[in-house]
Amino acid sequence: MADDLPLPVLERLRAVDWGDDAAAYEHANSRALLMREYLRRTAGWARAYRAEESWPFFDIAEHVAPEVRTPSEVAAELEAVLTGLAPSSLKKTCRGAVRWAVLRGTGGELPRDLPDDPYEPLLLMYERGGGYFVEEFIDLNGAMLRLGTVESNLSARPFPTLAPATLDALDAEGEITYFAKVGEVDPRAGGPRGIVRRRVDDGRTYDEAFAPNLRWEPTDCLRLNELGHNEADHVGITEIEAAASIELAVVRTA
């Protein structure tokens, strides 16, 4: 095993600004989606290795291949990064992510029917505004999530959309509802003709369409549709469905 295999993960953790409250609020929506995806992915590993009692913030490699350890020098550097951080479960996930990188680097075969990279959503969430606290809910410092159970998270819809541009497009202030323009393609099949959102923030309503320039621009289409003046209809979709369509647009523009 090469000595540098876990180092990219260690450097990502070293670069996190754990006290950036402004970033946490700015990226509240995407951070919540990333945490949900982490819970879903790790629920699969917990069920497969009978580690439900350790879920959700745990060292997966400990259950998959306990003989694989993080090199001592890397572990020492990681502990320096984690000094002063809380809660203890956050530190456990960071150690788990580094050890997972070590395990992946051994070249051993892992189950193909389980999520390929269980820690990636959580690493991305950390990079978009720091950590979390757990009380009655998971507090992401800008969003609150119910933890749920292994079973409920196993049945959650996957959120495989992890591209930064897509995550950025999901972040906005206010209560957001997404709509897809009904056309020749079923919006729930991942290919609507257009994505529109309605934001309600401080009592004001903003209707915005995701434009070809990959930005949200003001639109009257929802209001015209409500007045019966718009030929195209719109159907409500989930934020995960909206994310999939946004990512398609990002890929087409690249």
mmCIF file of all heavy atoms in Angstrom, residues 107-123:
data_model
loop_
_atom_site.group_PDB
_atom_site.id
_atom_site.type_symbol
_atom_site.label_atom_id
_atom_site.label_comp_id
_atom_site.label_asym_id
_atom_site.label_seq_id
_atom_site.Cartn_x
_atom_site.Cartn_y
_atom_site.Cartn_z
ATOM 1 N N GLY A 107 -6.711 -2.406 -2.316
ATOM 2 C CA GLY A 107 -7.104 -3.140 -3.520
ATOM 3 C C GLY A 107 -7.993 -4.324 -3.249
ATOM 4 O O GLY A 107 -8.329 -5.078 -4.176
ATOM 5 N N GLY A 108 -8.399 -4.514 -2.002
ATOM 6 C CA GLY A 108 -9.289 -5.627 -1.682
ATOM 7 C C GLY A 108 -10.667 -5.422 -2.279
ATOM 8 O O GLY A 108 -11.121 -4.293 -2.463
ATOM 9 N N GLU A 109 -11.338 -6.499 -2.585
ATOM 10 C CA GLU A 109 -12.661 -6.419 -3.210
ATOM 11 C C GLU A 109 -13.710 -6.116 -2.153
ATOM 12 O O GLU A 109 -13.764 -6.746 -1.094
ATOM 13 C CB GLU A 109 -12.988 -7.727 -3.923
ATOM 14 C CG GLU A 109 -14.258 -7.637 -4.758
ATOM 15 C CD GLU A 109 -14.467 -8.847 -5.646
ATOM 16 O OE1 GLU A 109 -13.518 -9.649 -5.771
ATOM 17 O OE2 GLU A 109 -15.565 -8.984 -6.211
ATOM 18 N N LEU A 110 -14.554 -5.138 -2.456
ATOM 19 C CA LEU A 110 -15.642 -4.749 -1.573
ATOM 20 C C LEU A 110 -16.973 -5.123 -2.219
ATOM 21 O O LEU A 110 -17.052 -5.285 -3.440
ATOM 22 C CB LEU A 110 -15.598 -3.235 -1.314
ATOM 23 C CG LEU A 110 -14.368 -2.732 -0.563
ATOM 24 C CD1 LEU A 110 -14.336 -1.217 -0.556
ATOM 25 C CD2 LEU A 110 -14.375 -3.262 0.873
ATOM 26 N N PRO A 111 -18.027 -5.255 -1.436
ATOM 27 C CA PRO A 111 -19.336 -5.606 -1.999
ATOM 28 C C PRO A 111 -19.771 -4.604 -3.069
ATOM 29 O O PRO A 111 -19.708 -3.398 -2.845
ATOM 30 C CB PRO A 111 -20.261 -5.563 -0.779
ATOM 31 C CG PRO A 111 -19.377 -5.790 0.384
ATOM 32 C CD PRO A 111 -18.075 -5.136 0.028
ATOM 33 N N ARG A 112 -20.218 -5.097 -4.196
ATOM 34 C CA ARG A 112 -20.616 -4.226 -5.294
ATOM 35 C C ARG A 112 -22.052 -3.728 -5.168
ATOM 36 O O ARG A 112 -22.456 -2.825 -5.908
ATOM 37 C CB ARG A 112 -20.427 -4.950 -6.630
ATOM 38 C CG ARG A 112 -18.967 -5.298 -6.925
ATOM 39 C CD ARG A 112 -18.809 -5.909 -8.292
ATOM 40 N NE ARG A 112 -17.411 -6.218 -8.578
ATOM 41 C CZ ARG A 112 -16.984 -6.730 -9.724
ATOM 42 N NH1 ARG A 112 -17.853 -7.017 -10.691
ATOM 43 N NH2 ARG A 112 -15.691 -6.975 -9.901
ATOM 44 N N ASP A 113 -22.816 -4.327 -4.285
ATOM 45 C CA ASP A 113 -24.209 -3.931 -4.138
ATOM 46 C C ASP A 113 -24.406 -2.876 -3.053
ATOM 47 O O ASP A 113 -25.540 -2.536 -2.711
ATOM 48 C CB ASP A 113 -25.080 -5.153 -3.847
ATOM 49 C CG ASP A 113 -24.644 -5.883 -2.575
ATOM 50 O OD1 ASP A 113 -23.496 -5.690 -2.137
ATOM 51 O OD2 ASP A 113 -25.462 -6.638 -2.022
ATOM 52 N N LEU A 114 -23.304 -2.354 -2.516
ATOM 53 C CA LEU A 114 -23.377 -1.302 -1.504
ATOM 54 C C LEU A 114 -22.790 -0.009 -2.069
ATOM 55 O O LEU A 114 -21.985 -0.045 -2.995
ATOM 56 C CB LEU A 114 -22.611 -1.724 -0.249
ATOM 57 C CG LEU A 114 -23.212 -2.890 0.536
ATOM 58 C CD1 LEU A 114 -22.285 -3.311 1.662
ATOM 59 C CD2 LEU A 114 -24.585 -2.526 1.096
ATOM 60 N N PRO A 115 -23.204 1.152 -1.509
ATOM 61 C CA PRO A 115 -22.690 2.428 -2.018
ATOM 62 C C PRO A 115 -21.169 2.459 -2.064
ATOM 63 O O PRO A 115 -20.496 2.089 -1.096
ATOM 64 C CB PRO A 115 -23.252 3.449 -1.025
ATOM 65 C CG PRO A 115 -24.493 2.807 -0.502
ATOM 66 C CD PRO A 115 -24.183 1.338 -0.426
ATOM 67 N N ASP A 116 -20.629 2.929 -3.176
ATOM 68 C CA ASP A 116 -19.195 2.847 -3.436
ATOM 69 C C ASP A 116 -18.364 3.719 -2.500
ATOM 70 O O ASP A 116 -17.278 3.340 -2.088
ATOM 71 C CB ASP A 116 -18.925 3.233 -4.898
ATOM 72 C CG ASP A 116 -17.443 3.150 -5.232
ATOM 73 O OD1 ASP A 116 -16.863 2.071 -5.028
ATOM 74 O OD2 ASP A 116 -16.880 4.161 -5.684
ATOM 75 N N ASP A 117 -18.842 4.887 -2.153
ATOM 76 C CA ASP A 117 -18.049 5.823 -1.354
ATOM 77 C C ASP A 117 -18.931 6.429 -0.266
ATOM 78 O O ASP A 117 -19.447 7.542 -0.404
ATOM 79 C CB ASP A 117 -17.467 6.918 -2.248
ATOM 80 C CG ASP A 117 -16.284 7.612 -1.588
ATOM 81 O OD1 ASP A 117 -16.144 7.484 -0.359
ATOM 82 O OD2 ASP A 117 -15.508 8.268 -2.302
ATOM 83 N N PRO A 118 -19.126 5.733 0.835
ATOM 84 C CA PRO A 118 -20.089 6.177 1.843
ATOM 85 C C PRO A 118 -19.755 7.499 2.512
ATOM 86 O O PRO A 118 -20.655 8.215 2.958
ATOM 87 C CB PRO A 118 -20.093 5.028 2.862
ATOM 88 C CG PRO A 118 -18.786 4.329 2.666
ATOM 89 C CD PRO A 118 -18.472 4.462 1.209
ATOM 90 N N TYR A 119 -18.461 7.870 2.568
ATOM 91 C CA TYR A 119 -18.091 9.093 3.285
ATOM 92 C C TYR A 119 -18.071 10.344 2.408
ATOM 93 O O TYR A 119 -18.023 11.460 2.926
ATOM 94 C CB TYR A 119 -16.714 8.930 3.938
ATOM 95 C CG TYR A 119 -16.716 7.997 5.116
ATOM 96 C CD1 TYR A 119 -16.220 6.701 5.001
ATOM 97 C CD2 TYR A 119 -17.212 8.400 6.359
ATOM 98 C CE1 TYR A 119 -16.214 5.834 6.082
ATOM 99 C CE2 TYR A 119 -17.212 7.539 7.445
ATOM 100 C CZ TYR A 119 -16.723 6.255 7.300
ATOM 101 O OH TYR A 119 -16.729 5.399 8.376
ATOM 102 N N GLU A 120 -18.107 10.191 1.087
ATOM 103 C CA GLU A 120 -17.975 11.361 0.215
ATOM 104 C C GLU A 120 -19.042 12.424 0.461
ATOM 105 O O GLU A 120 -18.722 13.620 0.515
ATOM 106 C CB GLU A 120 -17.961 10.926 -1.247
ATOM 107 C CG GLU A 120 -17.757 12.075 -2.240
ATOM 108 C CD GLU A 120 -16.436 12.819 -2.049
ATOM 109 O OE1 GLU A 120 -15.504 12.236 -1.438
ATOM 110 O OE2 GLU A 120 -16.330 13.964 -2.512
ATOM 111 N N PRO A 121 -20.329 12.069 0.598
ATOM 112 C CA PRO A 121 -21.312 13.129 0.878
ATOM 113 C C PRO A 121 -21.001 13.905 2.151
ATOM 114 O O PRO A 121 -21.182 15.133 2.208
ATOM 115 C CB PRO A 121 -22.633 12.361 1.004
ATOM 116 C CG PRO A 121 -22.416 11.101 0.235
ATOM 117 C CD PRO A 121 -20.975 10.749 0.457
ATOM 118 N N LEU A 122 -20.522 13.207 3.183
ATOM 119 C CA LEU A 122 -20.219 13.885 4.441
ATOM 120 C C LEU A 122 -18.995 14.782 4.299
ATOM 121 O O LEU A 122 -18.967 15.905 4.834
ATOM 122 C CB LEU A 122 -20.002 12.854 5.545
ATOM 123 C CG LEU A 122 -20.048 13.393 6.977
ATOM 124 C CD1 LEU A 122 -21.427 13.946 7.303
ATOM 125 C CD2 LEU A 122 -19.666 12.306 7.976
ATOM 126 N N LEU A 123 -17.987 14.331 3.576
ATOM 127 C CA LEU A 123 -16.809 15.172 3.333
ATOM 128 C C LEU A 123 -17.201 16.448 2.592
ATOM 129 O O LEU A 123 -16.742 17.551 2.930
ATOM 130 C CB LEU A 123 -15.764 14.400 2.539
ATOM 131 C CG LEU A 123 -15.056 13.256 3.277
ATOM 132 C CD1 LEU A 123 -14.203 12.446 2.304
ATOM 133 C CD2 LEU A 123 -14.197 13.788 4.417
#
